[in-house]
Amino acid sequence: MPTIARHPRSHRRAARPTGLALLAALLGLAAAGCSSGGGSPPPACSYTYSAWSECGPAGAQVRTVTAATPEGCAGTPLTSQACTFAPLLHVPSPDWRDQVIYFVMTDRFANGDRTNDDQGQGEYDPSTVARYSGGDLQGLIDRLDYVQGLGATAVWITPPVANQWWDPLQVYGGYHGYWARHLKRVDEHLGTLATYQALSDALHRRGMYLVQDVVANHMGNFHTWAPYPAACAPSSSLGGCATGPAIAGCDVTQGFVRNTAAVPTSRPEQAPFDQDDATDPVQRAAGIYHWTPAIADYLNACQERAYQLSDLDDLATENPLVRAALKDSYGYWVKEVGVDAFRVDTVRFVEHEFWNDFFHSTSATEPGILAQAATTGRTGFLAFGEVFEVSEPGVGTADVTVTSYLGTPAAPELPAVLQFPLFAELGRVFGAPAAPTTDLTYRVRRFMDLALYPDPFTTPTFVDNHDVPRFLANGTPAGLAQALTFLFTSPGIPVVYYGTEQEYAEPRAAMFQGGYGTTGDRYDTTSAGYRRLAALAALRRAHPVFSRGAMTVLADSPAGAGPFAYRRTLGAETALVLMNTSESRMLVSGLATGLPAGAVLEVLHAEGSPTTPTVGEGGLLTTVLPARAVLVLRATGAVVAPPPPPVTITVTTPVEGQVFSGDVTLTGTVSPPTTRIRLVIDGYVDRIATPTVAADGSFSIVLPVSTYAVGVVQHTLAFYALAERVATPTVRFTSDVVFDPVVTEVADPAGDDTGPSGTYRYPGDATFATGRYGDVTGLTIQAATTTLKLVFHMADLSTVWNPGNGFDHVSFNVFFEVPGFGGATVLPLMDAAAPAGFTWKFNQTTYGFANVMNTSSGASATEPGALGRAPKVAVDLAAGTITFTYNRADYGLATWSGVRVYATTWDIDGLGGLRRALTLAGGPWEFGGAAGGPLIMDSVGPVAIP
């Protein structure tokens, strides 16, 4: 009989009946240690039990019943009873459209077994993000009530495989699971195979599913080069993608360095991945690895496919030995643990042909993952790939790149891909600054294009994850509520990153007391965020229109933040979703609901206390949405005939589709003529512009196009009778204002990026050694009536980390002093004060992965202040410039004249969103030279805008 050898901390909880043997035990008909099959006793029988034990013979496991009252069965309460039975590992695949996935970084979610926290090799330290914190699989089992209560139906975990625990070359640990040393072992920090099987069983008995993260591109960082031999670097003249020994004259043994101090081993422990010594002719010839350096140019297709991502040892996935080993290794988890789906890491760094073989091979000896899953009864095994590619607004190239990894009907690849292009749009539209909601309209239409996404309904969607700053690092709780509402009421499988329900802003903070970045357990089921997500999940579950229905965008805002409305339809059911992404009230007028006049609407979900609108004549809806409001509505099927509108407004000046380059007079009529009406531009119902109305009801008003932002910008326009709640249908026009700025050139010395003391040094990581990325060599100020452009001329620009904003290795803080406004003098989070006589009202922070504006309201040395509207960012790598573009209307300014600008440079960690530390000695990721000094590498100004 198996014995209970691990998990000494048993947990007590209500459980579901598990087998006939337990029923027999409860009835007094079986002895301790009885074996059983998979039948279930009557649901009236209830009991509690302890944790799983070690794995027993033939995969059987032991649970010990600590107390039981077989109500409705018979007998007396039990005090102890052991029963052996097989865990429930294999269940049919679900309809993935109905699922909600909760994504946990296992090391940071819950600590259920403190005996495995510290393996005694310096890898465990919850005080730092870089090392293990103690979370494990048992902790996840213990917290499944919390996860299920949130409305999740599946749990995605980071790779549970045995990892490289500490990398002294990168000064970071493999707690996250993506640096494998053995692909068929559970990492010692997370538990055992038995624990993993127990998680699978616990999920399946709840009707939930298990998603495992897998990596095919690389192992850990066990070797590198110092430096990589120049003769081995591929040249453009080679064509194709020859690398390493494939290049004539290349000797990859030159400069080859083993990471001998890696913990716990200095090489992978699994064949054939242990053949990683380039100095051994046999291992080199085996070609398990590509023997290449780190990627330096992410736009180089050869580097993308065959170089090392962040110096992680790149597998030669075209090698049949590697392909066979990877299919065997990952098929193992499906068969032995009962994994129901894969999330696939770093998909774009592996050739397309590999994915076809990995998933779809029908080889009898080396079957693909889908064939292996089918042997367990999983005929709908889901695998969704990470293709981290995003596009600028209105650009569809990312969608093409991402969906290319779905393959073709003749050569299929992944069953699904993560919706990264949509993720970026959600951050822009619902975040801060809030971008035009038309950008989301474009992305939704791309998403619903079946030529790109053949099945959008099984495409996982998300608002943030473990590789990017959290939504709340740069957004607001109200914006997050909108983004999550969109996620749960639009096509796709919603994915929620752990901690989102507790409004986490740090991407990898722990949820449990003693873990990294937290002061106590954070499993609050009464928090607003938890209750909101539970409600949204219940809404989606109760109304299939949200998981299966057609989607049509009904309204958006082209000029900036504002309304966004869409319709979902499934059969006879219609749902409407209305949002206002602006911080001001917004008018929605003439919304074509597709419903009959007088259709009665019920509110399914709301944020911001909006009023319930009515459907008027022609099925049109008009309402005013409060700032950041959300309304999810359902047509009940009832109809109440609406009264005729009390006001009639007619616009006689052609506006729809017109292009205006200067001011234009708008005319029309209103009846009755005593009605007070407003001109509403871009939805801003409270920016009062009142036409002059004559006794006969005719009116006129000037549209001040000359004051609009420069360039070609689309706008919306409507006239609105506030008291009567009657509006004209929204029309669109375009302004085309020429940029004619006053230009001021501000020189800044080259080479002065050494801090206020002149002693600062850049971080020691090799990526900082190739340029002076914080050195501003000049600033060009271009100021027009409404638009301001600040053009920073830089000594060097880097894109080594493929940054979303087009540059990395430098962050900017740009402060604006407004005449007549006192403002602040402290420079938040910079250990610095403003120059003498300078006070700021607005403070911009921009780096490769975020762009935020704050106001001085609430600002302090440790708080950046309230959020404002950030500028647009443009990078010209050839010219070496970074340009920020501002609209004075976003800041309530009457003019740019007299505003003073002060700008500084430093660098911010792209994941954590924290400024890099400054120490006397410096380090790989720390600036050096003056511990405790201002976090300023270079500065420009203050300088006044003329």
Side-chain angles (χ1 to χ4, degrees):
M1 290 294 296
T3 59
I4 299 176
R6 290 184 66 86
H7 311 304
R9 292 173 55 258
S10 64
H11 63 288
R12 296 167 60 87
R13 58 179 176 174
R16 299 186 179 186
T18 55
L20 293 174
L22 183 56
L23 174 59
L26 291 172
L27 294 173
L29 301 177
C34 62
S35 62
S36 83
S40 297
C45 302
S46 63
Y47 55 92
T48 60
Y49 58 82
S50 70
W52 283 102
S53 76
E54 284 289 302
C55 204
Q61 295 188 345
V62 171
R63 274 180 171 160
T64 299
V65 180
T66 57
T69 303
E71 299 173 0
C73 298
T76 58
L78 291 168
T79 57
S80 180
Q81 188 68 266
C83 210
T84 304
F85 60 95
L88 181 58
L89 300 184
H90 300 302
V91 298
S93 298
D95 188 329
W96 287 102
R97 294 175 299 178
D98 297 325
Q99 309 313 307
V100 173
I101 299 174
Y102 188 71
F103 171 31
V104 302
M105 179 165 282
T106 312
D107 178 66
R108 302 296 160 87
F109 180 66
N111 191 347
D113 182 359
R114 296 193 180 277
T115 66
N116 61 25
D117 292 359
D118 190 349
Q119 300 294 322
Q121 299 198 45
E123 83 293 348
Y124 170 73
D125 182 358
S127 69
T128 172
V129 69
R131 299 180 190 266
Y132 283 85
S133 264
D136 51 36
L137 296 170
Q138 185 60 51
L140 180 51
I141 294 171
D142 295 347
R143 292 291 179 180
L144 285 182
D145 284 347
Y146 172 88
V147 176
Q148 191 171 34
L150 191 63
T153 62
V155 176
W156 156 16
I157 64 170
T158 44
V161 300
N163 252 237
Q164 180 181 27
W165 297 344
W166 184 251
D167 179 5
L169 300 181
Q170 299 199 37
V171 196
Y172 208 81
Y175 65 86
H176 43 70
Y178 297 93
W179 298 351
R181 72 177 200 273
H182 199 300
L183 296 177
K184 294 175 73 172
R185 292 184 195 159
V186 175
D187 191 87
E188 294 84 342
H189 295 86
L190 303 183
T192 65
L193 178 61
T195 326
Y196 197 16
Q197 290 173 326
L199 172 62
S200 176
D201 173 88
L203 286 166
H204 292 153
R205 292 184 189 279
R206 291 169 176 265
M208 299 175 71
Y209 302 92
L210 176 59
V211 182
Q212 178 176 316
D213 216 321
V214 301
V215 185
N217 176 67
H218 58 264
M219 301 294 282
N221 181 25
F222 297 103
H223 62 250
T224 188
W225 283 264
Y228 190 70
C232 298
S235 66
S236 58
S237 63
L238 290 171
C241 192
T243 61
I247 299 175
C250 167
D251 180 4
V252 292
T253 66
Q254 295 180 13
F256 182 79
V257 176
R258 294 202 63 84
N259 193 357
T260 57
V263 173
T265 62
S266 61
R267 69 189 314 164
E269 299 172 313
Q270 176 188 5
F273 309 118
D274 56 355
Q275 300 184 60
D276 72 333
D277 187 351
T279 65
D280 180 344
V282 175
Q283 295 188 43
R284 187 168 67 248
I288 303 303
Y289 295 90
H290 278 134
W291 313 117
T292 47
I295 298 173
D297 181 2
Y298 283 87
L299 299 180
N300 183 305
C302 180
Q303 292 191 25
E304 182 179 70
R305 290 289 187 272
Y307 275 31
Q308 298 192 143
L309 177 67
S310 298
D311 217 25
L312 299 168
D313 303 348
D314 199 70
L315 291 169
T317 44
E318 70 278 7
N319 185 328
L321 289 175
V322 173
R323 290 189 175 189
L326 289 171
K327 286 184 287 186
D328 172 70
S329 294
Y330 289 125
Y332 170 84
W333 300 109
V334 179
K335 292 178 290 186
E336 295 301 317
V337 173
V339 171
D340 300 295
F342 284 164
R343 180 268 189 180
V344 188
D345 186 65
T346 52
V347 165
R348 68 178 302 165
F349 300 97
V350 178
E351 70 277 9
H352 287 275
E353 296 78 12
F354 171 85
W355 298 118
N356 173 255
D357 177 70
F358 181 73
F359 284 109
H360 301 278
S361 172
T362 57
S363 166
T365 56
E366 298 174 5
I369 296 301
L370 297 186
Q372 294 185 62
T375 66
T376 71
R378 293 173 172 83
T379 55
F381 188 86
L382 179 68
F384 50 95
E386 177 216 26
V387 186
F388 198 148
E389 179 82 2
V390 301
S391 288
E392 291 298 307
V395 178
T397 53
D399 294 284
V400 174
T401 299
V402 168
T403 56
S404 71
Y405 290 91
L406 298 173
T408 65
E413 297 178 39
L414 282 93
V417 286
L418 280 159
Q419 236 298 10
F420 270 93
L422 180 63
F423 145 76
E425 219 67 78
L426 296 180
R428 287 190 287 250
V429 169
F430 296 118
T437 57
T438 48
D439 297 348
L440 186 53
T441 299
Y442 174 85
R443 199 63 60 196
V444 166
R445 287 172 179 164
R446 297 288 286 178
F447 188 23
M448 301 308 293
D449 183 347
L450 299 185
L452 286 169
Y453 298 89
D455 188 1
F457 300 99
T458 58
T459 300
T461 58
F462 62 103
V463 298
D464 52 18
N465 65 21
H466 58 315
D467 285 332
V468 299
R470 291 227 189 220
F471 184 97
L472 288 179
N474 304 304
T476 65
L480 177 60
Q482 292 186 316
L484 291 172
T485 301
F486 178 87
L487 214 63
F488 279 80
T489 60
S490 62
I493 306 171
V495 178
V496 177
Y497 186 40
Y498 84 98
T500 296
E501 71 279 7
Q502 302 300 342
E503 297 190 345
Y504 268 33
E506 207 285 334
R508 298 186 179 185
M511 294 277 283
F512 55 90
Q513 184 173 2
Y516 168 72
T518 188
T519 56
D521 285 351
R522 296 289 301 276
Y523 310 101
D524 183 2
T525 58
T526 66
S527 71
Y530 187 95
R531 288 185 287 108
R532 175 183 293 113
L533 273 170
L536 288 171
L539 175 70
R540 187 178 179 89
R541 187 167 56 249
H543 299 281
V545 67
F546 295 119
S547 59
R548 291 163 167 75
M551 181 170 180
T552 305
V553 176
L554 304 178
D556 58 23
S557 175
F564 187 70
Y566 51 98
R567 179 177 60 231
R568 303 298 309 277
T569 54
L570 181 66
E573 186 170 15
T574 296
L576 302 174
V577 182
L578 284 69
M579 302 188 194
N580 173 17
T581 66
S582 171
E583 304 300 331
S584 303
R585 292 201 312 159
M586 284 281 162
L587 173 68
V588 177
S589 65
L591 190 72
T593 65
L595 296 168
V600 177
L601 304 174
E602 67 170 329
V603 177
L604 300 180
H605 180 77
E607 307 274 356
S609 302
T611 57
T612 304
T614 58
V615 179
E617 291 184 346
L620 302 182
L621 182 151
T622 294
T623 190
V624 174
L625 292 175
R628 288 291 187 176
V630 171
L631 257 179
V632 182
L633 305 163
R634 172 184 171 272
T636 65
V639 175
V640 177
V647 172
T648 302
I649 308 171
T650 303
V651 181
T652 56
T653 304
V655 175
E656 177 68 43
Q658 299 297 308
V659 178
F660 302 126
S661 57
D663 296 351
V664 61
T665 299
L666 303 178
T667 59
T669 60
V670 58
S671 177
T674 55
T675 306
R676 292 179 59 82
I677 61 174
R678 293 180 181 181
L679 170 62
V680 180
I681 303 298
D682 298 328
Y684 286 95
V685 70
D686 292 326
R687 292 182 181 175
I688 301 174
T690 304
T692 301
V693 181
D696 62 356
S698 62
F699 66 81
S700 66
I701 189 171
V702 174
L703 186 66
V705 174
S706 61
T707 65
Y708 291 178
V710 299
V712 178
V713 181
Q714 194 175 73
H715 302 269
T716 62
L717 180 151
F719 285 90
Y720 181 50
L722 185 65
E724 294 80 5
R725 298 183 180 180
V726 174
T728 61
T730 297
V731 295
R732 301 195 177 208
F733 69 94
T734 300
S735 63
D736 185 2
V737 180
V738 176
F739 190 40
D740 185 19
V742 175
V743 179
T744 303
E745 299 287 353
V746 182
D748 191 73
D752 64 340
D753 49 334
T754 53
S757 65
T759 62
Y760 287 15
R761 303 183 306 276
Y762 284 97
D765 182 75
T767 58
F768 284 91
T770 55
R772 307 185 71 107
Y773 302 115
D775 188 9
V776 179
T777 59
L779 170 64
T780 301
I781 301 174
Q782 302 174 350
T785 302
T786 298
T787 300
L788 170 71
K789 294 186 179 185
L790 299 181
V791 184
F792 287 87
H793 303 264
M794 307 302 296
D796 296 288
L797 289 175
S798 168
T799 59
V800 68
W801 290 329
N802 201 24
N805 283 332
F807 66 93
D808 53 41
H809 284 54
V810 63
S811 64
F812 292 85
N813 271 90
V814 184
F815 297 88
F816 295 86
E817 179 185 73
V818 177
F821 187 91
T825 57
V826 65
L827 305 186
L829 306 173
M830 296 172 59
D831 294 331
F838 182 88
T839 59
W840 62 271
K841 181 178 182 181
F842 302 105
N843 166 25
Q844 166 196 344
T845 303
T846 305
Y847 57 103
F849 302 92
N851 177 33
V852 181
M853 181 72 81
N854 296 96
T855 72
S856 57
S857 176
S860 68
T862 57
E863 295 293 335
L867 284 170
R869 182 70 186 270
K872 295 180 180 179
V873 183
V875 179
D876 187 330
L877 295 175
T881 60
I882 300 172
T883 300
F884 303 124
T885 302
Y886 313 80
N887 183 335
R888 64 175 173 79
D890 292 333
Y891 310 105
L893 300 177
T895 177
W896 286 112
S897 179
V899 173
R900 290 204 298 166
V901 178
Y902 172 64
T904 68
T905 64
W906 192 250
D907 191 40
I908 292 177
D909 180 304
L911 176 60
L914 301 175
R915 285 167 172 77
R916 299 196 185 280
L918 173 64
T919 63
L920 190 61
W925 309 109
E926 299 174 344
F927 288 85
L935 304 188
I936 298 173
M937 207 65 177
D938 196 3
S939 63
V940 181
V943 58
I945 299 173

